[in-house]
Amino acid sequence: MRRFLPCVLTLPILLLSGCGTPEQEVSPDPPTVTEPSADDGTVTEEPTNEGEEPEEGGEAPVGSHRDGSEYHFGEGAVFPYPVGAYEEEFQEGVEEDVVYTVDDVVLSPSGRVAFTLTVEVPQLGRVFGTGLLDVRCSYEELEGPATSEARLGELETGAHPVDMECEAPDSPSSVLISVVNGEDEADFRGPVG
């Protein structure tokens, strides 16, 4: 009984102090920064992105390059899709992001470039098709298709990694990996580890 009593006495203290440290508490509204406007002297408030941290491994946050620029390995290429099982059920203005990522790019013992392509599928209310998926590797003068023993097919909600390989010239220092799936197109470039 003596061991149980101190635990019971600490319960009100835990309840009063909350379930986390101030650093862990989440604010429903982001902090705002007040900045004077340069032209008319009025003050505008804009949300800040304080507290946002990079993705795991210190990489840049997931982003969308609509200007045709290239992604780095480990960076997510984002493509919005409407939510709903059928086109007539799509909810107007409601979209979720499908994210493609290329990482773990290395020269395999067989002299081929090996990498992992991951397709992250959100809750769309339907499966996500990859029947039109085409992945290619490009070097200075050489280009060829990426191959895999596994097929992605129709994907349920979740992350779907697939290991792929490409032919490679002798000891390539970098590679451009192009991922095309229907209208989704993203180029990833980086060093070969």
Side-chain angles (χ1 to χ4, degrees):
M1 185 66 178
R2 284 185 168 177
R3 292 181 190 195
F4 181 72
L5 187 58
C7 293
V8 171
L9 294 176
T10 59
L11 183 60
I13 296 170
L14 290 174
L15 292 175
L16 290 175
S17 64
C19 294
T21 64
E23 294 81 26
Q24 294 171 325
E25 292 178 12
V26 177
S27 172
D29 298 313
T32 57
V33 175
T34 304
E35 295 181 11
S37 174
D39 52 324
D40 62 2
T42 60
V43 175
T44 59
E45 290 188 0
E46 296 180 9
T48 64
N49 293 329
E50 287 181 8
E52 282 190 10
E53 294 182 12
E55 296 270 309
E56 183 179 347
E59 296 295 331
V62 171
S64 179
H65 293 224
R66 295 295 178 204
D67 60 358
S69 62
E70 297 170 351
Y71 297 87
H72 300 288
F73 294 151
E75 183 180 8
V78 175
F79 296 90
Y81 278 83
V83 174
Y86 302 99
E87 190 171 345
E88 58 270 13
E89 295 178 3
F90 290 169
Q91 302 170 30
E92 186 176 340
V94 178
E95 295 180 329
E96 293 290 337
D97 294 331
V98 172
V99 181
Y100 300 84
T101 309
V102 171
D103 53 19
D104 301 327
V105 182
V106 296
L107 192 61
S108 71
S110 64
R112 296 167 59 92
V113 169
F115 59 93
T116 301
L117 169 66
T118 302
V119 182
E120 293 179 52
V121 180
Q123 288 279 356
L124 293 174
R126 63 185 184 280
V127 294
F128 180 76
T130 59
L132 300 175
L133 182 68
D134 181 37
V135 182
R136 305 187 73 74
C137 296
S138 301
Y139 310 91
E140 289 181 14
E141 296 178 4
L142 178 67
E143 179 184 310
T147 58
S148 175
E149 293 180 8
R151 293 185 54 85
L152 288 172
E154 293 186 335
L155 305 180
E156 299 286 343
T157 301
H160 304 274
V162 62
D163 294 329
M164 305 189 90
E165 286 191 342
C166 289
E167 293 291 337
D170 290 338
S171 302
S173 59
S174 67
V175 61
L176 172 70
I177 299 174
S178 299
V179 178
V180 177
N181 185 34
E183 295 183 9
D184 300 347
E185 297 183 20
D187 291 330
F188 299 86
R189 184 185 298 273
V192 177

